[in-house]
């Protein structure tokens, strides 16, 4: 699609339709007074055709609109947001086909109901501004929707990993080594790998790696540990094996230029996770762990340690394997961040598979429930000065009574000074789930009533509360006011 040409056609079509409806003319009526076919006018309004000058003059005369106004790309205030969206090229940045949407279908919707679409777009823009949503946030939200729609499992990528292992004679039953990963990049893909001290420059302190495409040089931070290095190397292999060219060159990412980079970054990360955590090996280990009737926290830490990965990579991989191979499709993933000394916790990453489970991010600076095991592991890691603190609990959400088995690992963030993070997976407790987790009824597994944020929580006498339930109280006041109003209306009607 040629953005500039198609943008001009769409804008003209919108203006023509607006001028026609302002005159209370149907397409049939406009066709009759202009001697132009109805189908031709319909294609103009849908942005599929752009009329020649003589036709524009004719339309202008019959609709009492100046020629200059008709050909101008400036839209009236009530259609301006649509013009901004079309001009921005945002529709091209998101590959609509992955959601089963054809671009022409979306254009037809815009052309057929511009006022309604405009109102919708204006609402979205206002919400985005109110909640400080960035372009990157929009891209990442689109990616999450894509993952959730596929239960975060992608057969084609799993098959690609198996094909790669076969082609490079890699034993999927044993742990792939850093030496193997480095050798593949150097010998097969012509990489040069150098380790440098990123921390010597303040601007690079949060980065783990930089890839220089011109010389195929991979710069690695000397501060990263072995699991982080393995993930970066595996991800570089993925970019090459999957023949991805539209990619990011830093890890962690600084910015996304378009949605293709977001999607390709996910594909490469998924491939890396599947390579470092082979599906069958992980299934076998999980079956052994789930068969235990009283597993200790250290046993989960040991399980993660059997693979050359960080806790985050391990938990991310669980969100692929649990829905597919254990039929546990109601689960969530969270990454929380906490700056030592602050009283706030931030959700930096989230994923909800099948259901929109309760623990979700908010952009209103509310206080997340201090009863979450995600927060308690951070507190304990700090208190006990542990490099990896693991805990689990059964969380029952007060607002829905849904219960989840929640695992959480807290570690220091190696790239943010005085910062800790926790990685969490929660699994909805159902009769089918209980059959798979032999320890689910063990009395040593703590049960806790939790909320989402303190500001919206109805739990009484909560000792951990960080804020009064102001939003809940306001909602209750409004409901009482409405009830009283209804009583007065009934009395005086």
């Amino acid at each position: 699609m040629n953005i500039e040409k198609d943008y001009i056609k769409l804008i003209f079509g919108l203006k023509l339709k607006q001028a026609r409806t302002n005159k209370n003319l149907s397409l049939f009526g406009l066709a009759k007074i202009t001697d132009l076919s109805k189908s031709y006018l319909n294609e103009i309004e849908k942005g599929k055709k752009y009329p020649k000058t003589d036709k524009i003059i004719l339309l202008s005369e019959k609709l009492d609109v100046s020629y200059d106004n008709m050909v101008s790309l400036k839209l009236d205030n009530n259609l301006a947001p649509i013009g901004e969206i079309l001009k921005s090229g945002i529709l091209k940045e998101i590959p609509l086909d992955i959601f089963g949407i054809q671009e022409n279908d979306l254009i037809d919707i815009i052309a057929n109901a511009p006022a309604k679409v405009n109102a919708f777009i204006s609402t979205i823009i206002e919400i985005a501004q109110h909640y400080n949503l960035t372009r990157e946030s929009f891209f990442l939200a689109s990616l999450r929707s894509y993952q959730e729609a596929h239960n975060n499992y992608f057969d084609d990528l799993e098959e690609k990993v198996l094909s790669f292992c076969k082609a490079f004679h890699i034993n999927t039953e044993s742990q792939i080594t850093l030496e193997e990963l480095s050798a593949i990049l150097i010998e097969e893909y012509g990489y040069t790998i150098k380790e440098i001290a990123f921390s010597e420059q303040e601007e690079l302190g949060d980065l783990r790696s930089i890839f220089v495409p011109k010389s195929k040089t991979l710069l690695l931070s000397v501060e990263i540990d072995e699991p982080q290095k393995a993930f970066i190397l595996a991800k570089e292999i993925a970019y090459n094996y999957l023949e991805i060219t539209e990619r990011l060159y830093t890890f962690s990412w600084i910015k996304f230029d378009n949605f293709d980079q977001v999607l390709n970054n996910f594909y490469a990360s998924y491939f890396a996770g599947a390579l470092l955590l082979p599906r069958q090996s992980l299934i076998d280990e999980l079956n052994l762990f789930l068969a235990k009737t009283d597993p200790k926290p250290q046993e989960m830490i040991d399980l993660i340690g059997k693979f050359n990965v960080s806790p985050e990579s391990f938990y991310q991989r669980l969100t692929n394997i649990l829905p597919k191979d254990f039929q546990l499709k109601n689960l969530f993933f969270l990454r929380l961040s906490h700056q030592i000394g602050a009283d706030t916790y931030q959700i930096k990453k989230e994923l909800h598979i099948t259901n929109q489970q309760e623990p979700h991010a908010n952009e209103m600076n509310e206080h997340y429930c201090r009863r979450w095991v995600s927060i308690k592991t951070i507190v304990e890691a700090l208190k006990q000065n542990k490099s990896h603190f693991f805990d689990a609990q059964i969380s029952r959400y007060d607002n829905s009574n849904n219960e989840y088995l929640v695992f959480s690992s807290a570690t220091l963030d190696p790239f943010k000074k005085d910062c800790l993070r926790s990685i969490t997976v929660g699994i909805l407790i159902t009769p089918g789930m209980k059959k798979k987790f032999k320890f689910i009824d063990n009395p040593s597994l703590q049960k806790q009533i939790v909320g989402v944020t303190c500001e919206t929580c109805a739990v009484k006498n909560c000792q951990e509360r960080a804020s009064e339930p102001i939003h809940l109280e306001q909602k209750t006041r409004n409901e009482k006011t409405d009830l009283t109003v209804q009583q007065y209306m009934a009395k005086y009607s």
Side-chain angles (χ1 to χ4, degrees):
M1 186 190 218
N2 184 314
I3 288 292
E4 187 174 349
K5 287 179 65 176
D6 285 334
Y7 170 70
I8 292 171
K9 287 193 289 186
L10 281 168
I11 293 301
F12 186 89
L14 288 172
K15 297 187 82 164
L16 176 61
K17 185 165 187 174
Q18 186 181 44
R20 174 176 64 78
T21 53
N22 285 344
K23 297 283 285 184
N24 294 318
L25 276 171
S26 65
L27 269 175
F28 179 86
L30 182 60
K32 193 169 183 180
I33 65 174
T34 58
D35 289 327
L36 301 173
S37 73
K38 180 184 172 184
S39 60
Y40 174 66
L41 291 170
N42 187 45
E43 290 199 312
I44 293 174
E45 289 192 357
K46 289 187 174 184
K48 296 178 180 179
K49 288 187 177 179
Y50 192 89
K52 292 182 180 179
T53 303
D54 60 327
K55 300 293 193 300
I56 297 175
I57 293 172
L58 175 63
L59 290 166
S60 300
E61 290 175 350
K62 299 298 183 181
L63 294 171
D64 294 325
V65 179
S66 72
Y67 176 89
D68 288 344
N69 182 280
M70 286 295 289
V71 298
S72 169
L73 295 180
K74 186 177 180 180
L75 286 165
D76 292 347
N77 288 339
N78 63 330
L79 292 179
I82 290 180
E84 290 300 313
I85 291 292
L86 295 173
K87 190 175 182 180
S88 71
I90 191 71
L91 298 182
K92 287 303 294 177
E93 292 184 355
I94 301 177
L96 299 168
D97 56 301
I98 70 171
F99 297 104
I101 301 172
Q102 297 299 315
E103 195 170 56
N104 287 339
D105 294 338
L106 201 58
I107 290 169
D108 282 348
I109 293 171
I110 293 173
N112 287 329
K116 292 180 181 179
V117 173
N118 176 70
F120 174 73
I121 291 171
S122 297
T123 302
I124 294 298
I125 291 172
E126 186 175 338
I127 290 172
Q129 291 173 339
H130 183 70
Y131 290 100
N132 300 315
L133 297 180
T134 63
R135 187 164 172 264
E136 284 82 4
S137 298
F138 176 71
F139 284 157
L140 292 172
S142 299
L143 174 63
R144 283 198 301 273
S145 297
Y146 176 55
Q147 291 175 258
E148 291 161 6
H150 290 81
N151 291 331
N152 204 32
Y153 184 86
F154 296 85
D155 265 317
D156 56 336
L157 291 173
E158 298 283 346
E159 289 299 323
K160 289 280 187 183
V161 171
L162 293 177
S163 297
F164 169 82
C165 291
K166 183 177 180 180
F168 286 81
H169 201 61
I170 293 169
N171 183 2
T172 57
E173 295 181 3
S174 62
Q175 189 179 110
I176 189 169
T177 65
L178 283 175
E179 289 72 25
E180 283 182 287
L181 294 168
S182 298
I184 291 168
L185 284 174
I186 294 169
E187 296 175 23
E188 180 71 17
Y189 298 116
Y191 272 49
T192 299
I193 301 174
K194 293 182 179 294
E195 296 190 12
I196 62 173
F198 284 7
S199 59
E200 290 180 359
Q201 295 191 55
E202 185 179 350
E203 295 81 3
L204 301 180
D206 292 341
L207 294 185
R208 297 157 174 79
S209 68
I210 300 173
F211 177 64
V212 184
K214 190 172 183 179
S215 61
K216 299 194 82 171
T217 300
L218 179 62
L219 304 176
L220 295 174
S221 170
V222 294
E223 285 95 355
I224 61 176
D225 59 23
E226 189 170 311
Q228 290 168 333
K229 184 182 291 187
F231 182 78
I232 292 168
L233 296 178
K235 196 171 175 182
E236 287 299 322
I237 288 173
Y239 278 131
N240 286 273
Y241 188 75
L242 299 176
E243 298 180 341
I244 293 172
T245 55
E246 187 69 43
R247 55 160 293 177
L248 302 174
Y249 296 111
T250 64
F251 183 74
S252 299
W253 61 271
I254 301 170
K255 66 172 184 175
F256 294 118
D257 292 325
N258 53 59
F259 187 77
D260 281 344
Q261 290 180 347
V262 179
L263 191 60
N264 290 336
N265 180 66
F266 165 70
Y267 287 154
S269 297
Y270 189 106
F271 184 101
L275 179 59
L276 297 173
L277 288 145
R279 178 181 169 194
Q280 193 56 54
S281 295
L282 182 55
I283 290 171
D284 293 343
E285 292 292 346
L286 285 174
N287 278 323
L288 292 174
F289 183 79
L290 298 183
K292 298 176 185 291
T293 56
D294 188 21
K296 300 299 184 284
Q298 187 59 44
E299 293 183 68
M300 184 62 165
I301 295 175
D302 292 341
L303 171 57
I304 297 173
K306 289 183 178 182
F307 301 92
N308 193 22
V309 296
S310 67
E312 179 165 0
S313 292
F314 183 86
Y315 282 68
Q316 285 272 21
R317 188 65 172 141
L318 288 183
T319 67
N320 308 141
I321 299 301
L322 292 178
K324 174 67 177 180
D325 296 294
F326 291 83
Q327 291 75 53
L328 299 170
K329 296 183 178 180
N330 292 294
L331 58 83
F332 64 82
F333 170 94
L334 296 178
R335 184 177 75 203
L336 261 71
S337 179
H338 171 68
Q339 196 72 34
I340 296 174
D343 68 343
T344 57
Y345 297 81
Q346 294 179 306
I347 292 180
K348 294 293 187 179
K349 197 171 188 178
E350 64 177 320
L351 183 70
H352 302 270
I353 298 179
T354 305
N355 289 335
Q356 286 294 322
Q357 289 85 9
E358 284 82 0
H360 50 78
N362 75 80
E363 302 292 336
M364 299 175 66
N365 298 318
E366 294 181 17
H367 297 77
Y368 295 115
C369 179
R370 280 4 186 204
R371 295 183 176 189
W372 285 1
V373 71
S374 310
I375 290 178
K376 291 197 288 186
T377 52
I378 290 177
V379 172
E380 289 302 317
L382 185 59
K383 186 187 298 183
Q384 299 183 31
N385 194 28
K386 287 194 172 183
S387 59
H388 183 174
F389 186 87
F390 171 84
D391 201 2
Q393 73 179 32
I394 292 176
S395 295
R396 178 168 68 82
Y397 280 84
D398 180 67
N399 62 324
S400 68
N401 286 325
N402 283 337
E403 283 191 326
Y404 297 85
L405 173 62
V406 188
F407 297 100
S408 185
S409 287
T411 60
L412 277 171
D413 188 330
F415 294 94
K416 291 188 182 297
K417 188 178 180 182
D418 298 327
C419 186
L420 290 94
R421 59 187 177 184
S422 66
I423 311 299
T424 303
V425 166
I427 306 161
L428 183 68
I429 296 176
T430 63
M433 179 267 194
K434 284 186 172 184
K435 292 178 181 178
K436 296 180 173 67
F437 287 76
K438 302 304 180 185
F439 56 84
I440 193 69
D441 292 320
N442 192 303
S444 65
L445 189 60
Q446 183 184 13
K447 295 186 176 183
Q448 185 71 271
I449 297 175
V450 301
V452 178
T453 66
C454 294
E455 286 81 354
T456 60
C457 181
V459 174
K460 304 292 185 183
N461 303 316
C462 177
Q463 300 301 311
E464 296 89 348
R465 183 178 289 282
S467 172
E468 292 304 310
I470 53 176
H471 297 325
L472 183 65
E473 289 170 354
Q474 182 62 54
K475 180 183 177 183
T476 302
R477 282 196 296 272
N478 291 343
E479 288 173 349
K480 288 181 178 179
T481 300
D482 181 60
L483 179 61
T484 304
V485 168
Q486 295 302 320
Q487 289 171 348
Y488 271 90
M489 292 180 71
K491 180 177 180 180
Y492 292 101
S493 61

